[in-house]
Amino acid sequence: GPRLGAAFVEDGHETAASGFAAGLVARLAKGKQVFWISQEFASREYGAFCPPGSFEFGLDPSHFIFLSVVRFQDALRAAGDVLSCAGLGAVIIEVMGNPKALDLTASRRLVLASARNSVPSIFLRLGAVPQASAAETRWLVKAVPSAPETDDWGQPIFDVSLFRNRQGRTGQWVFSWSGDDGRFEEAKAAFGAVVSTPANRQAEAA
């Protein structure tokens, strides 16, 4: 069943990582509610979920439940509680930096809780460096400029490196997000798409 993943962010690309995580869990949730846990400081530093913007992105904000906490330990405790609810579609845990409490033991507990009720979960790691954890997948996300459009804003485009995958291959891809039908698509060659190239070695060693 689904397990825990971790999405890391290149500096200055935090909004792109949030958009990538939102689109990914919307796909995984298959119409069920998504529970989004965030630290207050992360919202103040990088911005919070914007309902009108989510409509532009192609997501219904009524499908998201939000919880804001001050301490990382509170986010961890809340994640353990909500992952016990089999009715949820997915969980995002948005945290800052590299808290000491996020060790192998803590991440293993979340992996087990996620698997027990088949509720996929994603750690959205803002201002963090990759570190050892029990997460089955680790991603590095950054934004790519959209192609010029005459009638609208253009599609969001993400450069995504999967540098750890306990279940299969790793690689690097460039995806565009289609808000009209709520799915990721391989970006056209004109956008500089790269498929299945090695992720950077520094991240790979984490």
Side-chain angles (χ1 to χ4, degrees):
R3 299 290 200 279
L4 178 71
F8 293 88
V9 188
E10 284 209 1
D11 290 343
H13 293 257
E14 291 80 10
T15 301
S18 296
F20 175 75
L24 185 59
V25 296
R27 297 283 297 171
L28 294 172
K30 298 178 180 178
K32 294 182 179 180
Q33 298 285 106
V34 173
F35 204 103
W36 193 317
I37 304 164
S38 62
Q39 285 185 270
E40 287 183 4
F41 184 71
S43 299
R44 292 198 300 269
E45 187 76 7
Y46 300 115
F49 187 95
C50 174
S54 71
F55 279 121
E56 289 287 340
F57 196 67
L59 300 179
D60 186 343
S62 68
H63 290 168
F64 290 79
I65 303 169
F66 297 94
L67 174 66
S68 179
V69 299
V70 175
R71 303 183 309 150
F72 170 74
Q73 289 87 342
D74 296 328
L76 203 60
R77 188 176 302 111
D81 289 341
V82 298
L83 283 170
S84 67
C85 178
L88 283 176
V91 176
I92 291 178
I93 309 123
E94 180 183 5
V95 295
M96 290 283 297
N98 293 82
K100 291 181 180 179
L102 183 51
D103 54 17
L104 281 170
T105 300
S107 58
R108 283 193 190 106
R109 288 196 187 107
L110 292 179
V111 168
L112 292 173
S114 183
R116 190 175 300 119
N117 289 309
S118 294
V119 180
S121 53
I122 294 178
F123 257 118
L124 182 55
R125 306 291 307 278
L126 305 178
V129 296
Q131 65 188 94
S133 77
E136 291 197 339
T137 58
R138 296 183 209 166
W139 308 78
L140 184 65
V141 182
K142 65 179 180 179
V144 175
S146 297
E149 300 285 350
T150 56
D151 299 325
D152 56 36
W153 299 99
Q155 290 182 317
I157 303 180
F158 307 93
D159 183 332
V160 180
S161 296
L162 176 59
F163 61 86
R164 175 64 61 86
N165 183 5
R166 298 181 188 275
Q167 304 297 324
R169 68 172 180 158
T170 59
Q172 181 179 357
W173 301 268
V174 176
F175 293 124
S176 62
W177 169 259
S178 173
D180 292 335
D181 50 13
R183 65 191 181 95
F184 292 101
E185 301 172 340
E186 183 183 334
K188 296 178 182 178
F191 300 159
V194 180
V195 179
S196 297
T197 60
N200 69 70
R201 293 189 179 278
Q202 180 181 359
E204 210 171 56

